[in-house]
Amino acid sequence: MSAPPRRVENLHTDKGKVPVYATGIVEQPWDDYSADDHATWTTLYARQRELLVGRASAAFLAAQDAMGMTPDRIPKFSALNRVLTEATGWTLMGVEGLLPELDFFDHLANRRFPVTWWIRRPDQIDYIEEPDLFHDLFGHVPLLMNPVFADYMAAYGRGGVKAHGIGAEALQMLTRLYWYTVEFGLIREADGPGSSPGQALRIYGSGIVSSTGESIHALESDAPNRIAFDLERIMRTRYRIDTYQKTYFVIDSFEQLMAATAPDFTPIYARLARQDSVPAGSVLDTDAVLHRGSGEGWADDGDV
Ligand code: PHE
Ligand code: CO
C-alpha cells in the first residue's frame, strides 16, 4: 500500500511564497472527505455554474454535464474516468500538489491529467494561491472531453518535454502559451441557435472558470485588453500571477488553436529569444485589438 496522501501547499517564508513540488501519484481518498469538504464543492460548483451559463464556452458547459459532475458532492475520479477515457483517452490521476515541470509534461503527453486530491478549506473559499481539487476538476477537466482540446493538451505535453530539453527560455515561452490559453483563454463563439450573426465572447480558460471574480472581470470589465490570439505575441508576453490578467487573448475555435501550435516551435524559440518580452498590459501596433483596456486598477510592477 502507498502512504496516505499529503496536502502539499506553497511555503510562506519571509521571502514570500515558495512553491513546493510533489511527485507522488495518490489514490483519491474519497471516503475521507469531510462534510465541510463536500460543502465547499457544493458552494463553489453552484456559484460558478450559475455565473458561467452564457459566459463559459458552450463546449465547456456541455462537457461538464456529460461527465456527470454534479454539485451535490465531490466527484469520484474513478467515475469520471469511465466517461473521460471512453471519450478521448484521457485519465485523471490524484496528486498531492504541484508537479515538477517535466513530470507534468510527461503525464500530459500520455493523456494523464493530474488532479489535486484535496479541496481548499472554508476560509479559502474565494481565493487560494495554488491549484486545488476545485480548480483542477471543475476548471480543467471538462474540456478534456472535447476531442480537439484533448489533442491540444497532449500535444502541449509533448511540446513541454521538448522545450524542457531545449532550455529555460523555451520553457518560459511555452509556459506563457499555457497561461494565455489553457488557464486564461477566451473564445469567440456563435451565440447559439437563432441568434444574430454576432460572435459572443466566452471563457474557456480554467483559471477564469474556477474564479468568481475573474469570470466577470474577463468578459465584462473595461480594464483588461482583449486581443486576437497570436502565437508569437503570446510567447513574448509576461503575465500576472497575483491579480486578474491585464490582457486576455481570444481564439475563434479550438481548431484554430490546434493549427497555430502545430508547427515545430524550435526555430520560433530561437528567433524570439532575441526579442524583448512584452509587459502584461501592453498593446502593440501589430495587435488585432478587440478591446483596448482602460488599465483601471493595474499595478505597475509584478509581471512575471
Ligand atoms: N508544436 C509544438 C512544438 O513543436 C508543440 C506544441 C503543440 C506546443 C501544441 C504547444 C501546444 O514544440
Ligand atoms: Co490550472
Side-chain angles (χ1 to χ4, degrees), residues 19 39-40 58 105 146 163 187 199 210 298:
T40 297
F105 295 141
N146 179 282
I187 184 168
Q199 298 268 297
S210 61
W298 284 0

Side-chain angles (χ1 to χ4, degrees), residues 35-109:
D36 268 356
D37 290 336
H38 288 292
T40 297
W41 171 267
T42 299
T43 302
L44 289 170
Y45 189 107
R47 187 162 88 185
Q48 285 311 101
R49 272 301 290 229
E50 189 180 333
L51 204 57
L52 290 175
V53 172
R55 288 196 177 90
S57 153
F60 175 90
L61 295 170
Q64 202 168 50
D65 292 338
M67 291 196 85
M69 276 190 205
T70 56
D72 51 302
R73 60 207 171 115
I74 294 173
K76 289 188 180 170
F77 299 169
S78 57
L80 298 178
N81 273 336
R82 282 193 284 277
V83 183
L84 182 60
T85 306
E86 170 80 9
T88 57
W90 277 81
T91 310
L92 311 180
M93 54 177 215
V95 293
E96 298 176 319
L98 276 187
L99 292 169
E101 266 159 344
L102 190 55
D103 293 58
F104 178 65
F105 295 141
D106 183 63
H107 288 307
L108 295 187

Side-chain angles (χ1 to χ4, degrees), residues 10 42 73 136 243:
N10 293 330
T42 299
R73 60 207 171 115
D136 288 339
T243 61

Side-chain angles (χ1 to χ4, degrees), residues 58-277:
F60 175 90
L61 295 170
Q64 202 168 50
D65 292 338
M67 291 196 85
M69 276 190 205
T70 56
D72 51 302
R73 60 207 171 115
I74 294 173
K76 289 188 180 170
F77 299 169
S78 57
L80 298 178
N81 273 336
R82 282 193 284 277
V83 183
L84 182 60
T85 306
E86 170 80 9
T88 57
W90 277 81
T91 310
L92 311 180
M93 54 177 215
V95 293
E96 298 176 319
L98 276 187
L99 292 169
E101 266 159 344
L102 190 55
D103 293 58
F104 178 65
F105 295 141
D106 183 63
H107 288 307
L108 295 187
N110 291 288
R111 296 190 180 240
R112 294 186 299 263
F113 193 81
V115 177
T116 308
W117 71 266
W118 53 267
I119 195 160
R120 64 193 75 183
R121 293 187 308 268
D123 62 294
Q124 298 169 313
I125 198 131
D126 290 310
Y127 181 76
I128 178 166
E129 267 169 14
E130 54 267 288
D132 72 334
L133 178 143
F134 183 74
H135 169 78
D136 288 339
L137 210 52
F138 184 98
H140 283 282
V141 169
L143 280 180
L144 296 175
M145 291 283 286
N146 179 282
V148 181
F149 197 83
D151 287 350
Y152 174 69
M153 289 293 282
Y156 184 90
R158 293 192 296 275
V161 173
K162 191 169 87 181
H164 192 270
I166 296 174
E169 277 182 316
L171 214 48
Q172 182 180 50
M173 291 182 229
L174 192 69
T175 300
R176 290 175 182 150
L177 176 64
Y178 192 87
W179 192 264
Y180 281 117
T181 61
V182 177
E183 293 290 356
F184 290 97
L186 297 179
I187 184 168
R188 272 187 292 200
E189 268 183 356
D191 205 9
S195 63
S196 65
Q199 298 268 297
L201 207 55
R202 294 274 160 78
I203 304 161
Y204 73 92
S206 315
I208 311 177
V209 296
S210 61
S211 158
T212 301
E214 196 143 8
S215 292
I216 296 171
H217 181 86
L219 294 183
E220 285 147 67
S221 170
D222 276 342
N225 302 309
R226 301 185 186 87
I227 295 173
F229 175 88
D230 173 337
L231 176 69
E232 296 189 15
R233 160 68 153 99
I234 287 176
M235 286 180 159
R236 293 170 53 208
T237 307
R238 309 214 301 262
Y239 56 87
R240 309 290 307 190
I241 56 169
D242 57 342
T243 61
Y244 297 149
Q245 299 310 304
K246 293 180 176 180
T247 300
Y248 299 94
F249 290 94
V250 183
I251 61 172
D252 285 315
S253 65
F254 297 132
E255 286 82 0
Q256 175 203 18
L257 184 58
M258 197 66 197
T261 52
D264 182 5
F265 285 1
T266 310
I268 304 178
Y269 293 143
R271 183 157 40 79
L272 296 187
R274 294 190 293 270
Q275 297 184 21
D276 289 335
S277 65

